[in-house]
Amino acid sequence: MDQGIAALWAAGLGIAGAISSGVLSFRAGRRQVQDQASAEHAHWLRQQRQEAYIAFLSVCDAHQRKIEETWERADREAAALGSLGNTDEDVHAWLGMLPFLFESAERQAMDRVEMLGPPAAAEAAWKLDEALGDAFQDLRARVEWLVHQSGAARVEAVSGPHWLRSQVRMTDMRAALVECARDILSTPKST
């Protein structure tokens, strides 16, 4: 009888060991799957952020180029013709749809940056967007001055140094966003 009890104990301990081993294996496997899913999500998020930052920068670059091209063209034509006109309609003809040309694409790209985060990237993107808005206002003041040729139309906004400050600010804000994006994308685990 002692051998029978010993056999039952041995079998019971073997079953308990097998169950314990199975539970531990299950937990380890589950943890590994969770870690893998977390790593894949972090990778996916980094890719999505990179695409969002690139899309936003591309739209902003195109917007900045258009502002600068319009500024230069207005200066050339005003120098050649002596004036760009004399009415508010002439101002509108020069600026036309420029304020709205990039609005939809810029808004959509900004939305992606805000959604994918983190807040530091959205803040840097907003600062770049604000710099572009300020540069457009400088362009508007320049065109109004060239059209009306009056010294009262924000002379400080149409001078070369002021325009240069706008260009430097746009460049600086773009560089700040790129640096922020680089920091975010280079961290092993995106938050």
Side-chain angles (χ1 to χ4, degrees), residues 33-81:
V33 167
Q34 287 173 335
D35 289 347
Q36 179 65 27
S38 179
E40 286 178 11
H41 177 73
H43 179 71
W44 173 84
L45 184 57
R46 272 193 303 278
Q47 285 180 320
Q48 292 297 308
R49 284 177 171 169
Q50 181 179 6
E51 290 172 11
Y53 302 155
I54 289 169
F56 182 75
L57 287 168
S58 294
V59 171
C60 289
D61 289 347
H63 192 176
Q64 181 176 350
R65 275 191 308 275
K66 190 65 174 172
I67 289 171
E68 290 171 350
E69 288 169 4
T70 304
W71 182 283
E72 291 166 6
R73 189 169 54 90
D75 274 356
R76 276 193 316 271
E77 290 194 25
L81 302 174

Side-chain angles (χ1 to χ4, degrees), residues 110 121-132 169 173-174 176:
M110 176 66 83
E123 183 179 334
W126 275 110
K127 286 180 180 179
L128 175 55
D129 185 63
E130 184 179 277
L132 286 166
R169 183 164 178 249
M173 293 301 103
R174 185 186 191 288

Side-chain angles (χ1 to χ4, degrees), residues 136-147:
F136 175 75
Q137 291 307 317
D138 291 344
L139 172 63
R140 173 181 290 287
R142 177 68 172 175
V143 168
E144 286 174 352
W145 184 77
L146 290 171
V147 166

Side-chain angles (χ1 to χ4, degrees), residues 55-170:
F56 182 75
L57 287 168
S58 294
V59 171
C60 289
D61 289 347
H63 192 176
Q64 181 176 350
R65 275 191 308 275
K66 190 65 174 172
I67 289 171
E68 290 171 350
E69 288 169 4
T70 304
W71 182 283
E72 291 166 6
R73 189 169 54 90
D75 274 356
R76 276 193 316 271
E77 290 194 25
L81 302 174
S83 173
L84 297 180
N86 58 13
T87 67
D88 288 338
E89 287 81 22
D90 295 320
V91 172
H92 180 71
W94 265 92
L95 299 177
M97 297 303 292
L98 186 59
F100 311 105
L101 191 60
F102 298 97
E103 185 176 36
S104 177
E106 203 167 312
R107 180 73 248 154
Q108 186 177 25
M110 176 66 83
D111 287 346
R112 284 197 71 212
V113 170
E114 287 181 317
M115 281 190 300
L116 294 168
E123 183 179 334
W126 275 110
K127 286 180 180 179
L128 175 55
D129 185 63
E130 184 179 277
L132 286 166
D134 291 347
F136 175 75
Q137 291 307 317
D138 291 344
L139 172 63
R140 173 181 290 287
R142 177 68 172 175
V143 168
E144 286 174 352
W145 184 77
L146 290 171
V147 166
H148 298 296
Q149 291 290 319
S150 74
R154 284 182 51 197
V155 173
E156 77 280 358
V158 298
S159 65
H162 191 79
W163 176 241
L164 183 60
R165 281 192 302 272
S166 287
Q167 289 179 310
V168 168
R169 183 164 178 249
M170 287 185 291

